[in-house]
Amino acid sequence: MKIRKSTERDFARIMEIYAFARDFMKKNGNPNQWGATNWPPEELIHNDIGEGKSYVCLNDSDCVIGTFYFDQGENIEPTYKAITEGDWKGSNLYGVVHRIAGDGSEKGIGAFCINWAFEKCRNLRIDTHNDNKVMQNLLKKLGFSVAGTIYVEEDNDPRIAFEKF
């Protein structure tokens, strides 16, 4: 597998992957994280691509099998400024992964993408819905620790914040 920045040519495939991910989450006890709002919206993905913060994961045949948002910098995620039931342990210079999804065609897509992002910054933050046990288990397996609880603008559901540094 390999990672590259997304382009507008990838847009339709990215949206297919998100549709697959919403269905997968629904079938695995997490119907509300993305399903209730048909998350993520097309406009946001176009914006991510335009800003150079959208990435795709390709298999050995160069087919797009996964996608995610990655950014790094100082205090880059506004929703991470307010954390309850814990605290961030790393510095204010960190990377963040959002909207990670795979098409289910190969095992290890999520781990590959997250490990790639961690190698870029060595202080990585990510959050997930309380019902997303699949992602929680993956993050713990990859050495992330629970940092606390954060809230996003999209809904009122708390998110479990994870960090690895």
Side-chain angles (χ1 to χ4, degrees), residues 62-83:
D62 286 335
C63 295
V64 174
I65 59 172
T67 187
F68 63 100
Y69 170 98
F70 173 70
D71 193 13
Q72 60 183 324
E74 189 166 350
N75 290 318
I76 54 171
E77 178 52 60
T79 60
Y80 286 1
K81 289 181 182 176
I83 186 168

Side-chain angles (χ1 to χ4, degrees), residues 34-48:
W34 287 357
T37 60
N38 202 35
W39 190 259
E42 291 184 0
E43 181 179 328
L44 180 60
I45 302 309
H46 285 300
N47 188 53
D48 291 350

Side-chain angles (χ1 to χ4, degrees), residues 49-164:
I49 292 169
E51 291 182 351
K53 297 175 184 176
S54 175
Y55 292 82
V56 289
C57 178
L58 298 99
N59 65 14
D60 293 337
S61 301
D62 286 335
C63 295
V64 174
I65 59 172
T67 187
F68 63 100
Y69 170 98
F70 173 70
D71 193 13
Q72 60 183 324
E74 189 166 350
N75 290 318
I76 54 171
E77 178 52 60
T79 60
Y80 286 1
K81 289 181 182 176
I83 186 168
T84 63
E85 301 171 37
D87 201 4
W88 300 111
K89 306 290 189 261
S91 72
N92 288 329
L93 183 62
Y94 58 87
V96 63
V97 169
H98 290 310
R99 300 183 279 289
I100 185 167
D103 70 359
S105 65
E106 294 187 27
K107 288 194 176 274
I109 297 169
F112 186 83
C113 296
I114 292 168
N115 285 333
W116 177 91
F118 182 72
E119 288 299 316
K120 300 294 180 202
C121 66
R122 309 303 286 181
N123 182 4
L124 190 61
R125 297 177 183 177
I126 190 169
D127 65 88
T128 192
H129 198 278
N130 189 52
D131 293 337
N132 195 340
K133 302 301 183 199
V134 172
M135 181 57 74
Q136 292 171 44
N137 290 335
L138 174 61
L139 293 171
K140 289 174 186 172
K141 178 180 167 187
L142 295 177
F144 283 76
S145 300
V146 173
T149 303
I150 60 104
Y151 292 85
V152 297
E153 296 175 6
E154 294 80 40
D155 58 51
N156 293 322
D157 294 332
R159 300 294 196 274
I160 302 169
F162 288 85
E163 181 177 39
K164 180 179 178 180

